[in-house]
Amino acid sequence: MLAHAKQLFAPPVFPDDEDKTRAARVLNTLVLSFLGVLGAAVILAVAVFAEPLLTALFILAFAAATAVAYLLLRLRYVRAASVVFVSALWVVLTVFLALAGGMTTAAASYYLACAVFAGLLLGTRAAVVVSALSVLAGIGMVLLDSSGYPLPRV
């Protein structure tokens, strides 16, 4: 029984591709960690946040995308799973920032983590793309705020 559980949560191994095995191991750890944290976050959202329904929807949307990434990983599509995970993280983070007041919140620093995850899972080019998108989104939020169109603080 324990061996079956270990096998269920173990990342796929690619004997002929060390880099793919490493990426699968990193993504497996990230996805399982995020799913555990997101499960607890849904429960806390109801008790802590001012807008529990909106917060729970964000969490559940990201949890669904993370579950899709895990399924793709289990099917041995490591690159596709990585793209789904990093893309979903970036989109959810950007929407959250836009609804939380923009780049003035401490959560803006999570763009760095997103770029690091992209670099670890997909390579340097993906990290540069995620970084550039993050900078552009941040500039857009700052310009909106400074032009008299402040972002909402939900």
Side-chain angles (χ1 to χ4, degrees):
M1 178 76 172
L2 185 60
H4 180 66
K6 278 186 178 180
Q7 185 180 11
L8 180 66
F9 295 114
V13 176
F14 303 92
D16 56 332
D17 194 343
E18 192 176 309
D19 286 336
K20 196 171 184 180
T21 299
R22 180 200 51 79
R25 191 174 60 245
V26 170
L27 181 61
N28 191 67
T29 302
L30 284 171
V31 165
L32 291 176
S33 299
F34 269 84
L35 286 174
V37 169
L38 292 170
V42 168
I43 296 167
L44 290 174
V46 176
V48 175
F49 291 101
E51 293 287 337
L53 181 60
L54 183 62
T55 305
L57 285 175
F58 272 111
I59 293 168
L60 291 174
F62 184 56
T66 304
V68 168
Y70 186 67
L71 176 64
L72 288 169
L73 179 64
R74 299 304 304 162
L75 293 172
R76 305 175 69 85
Y77 296 109
V78 178
R79 187 152 184 86
S82 298
V83 168
V84 167
F85 179 75
V86 170
S87 300
L89 178 62
W90 189 88
V91 168
V92 167
L93 178 59
T94 301
V95 172
F96 173 77
L97 284 172
L99 294 175
M103 298 303 289
T104 59
T105 66
S109 63
Y110 292 128
Y111 273 141
L112 177 62
C114 194
V116 170
F117 294 160
L120 286 172
L121 297 170
L122 298 165
T124 305
R125 185 175 296 169
V128 170
V129 168
V130 169
S131 297
L133 288 172
S134 300
V135 167
L136 290 174
I139 289 171
M141 287 183 233
V142 169
L143 287 175
L144 277 174
D145 196 41
S146 65
S147 298
Y149 299 102
L151 295 169
R153 292 192 184 270
V154 178

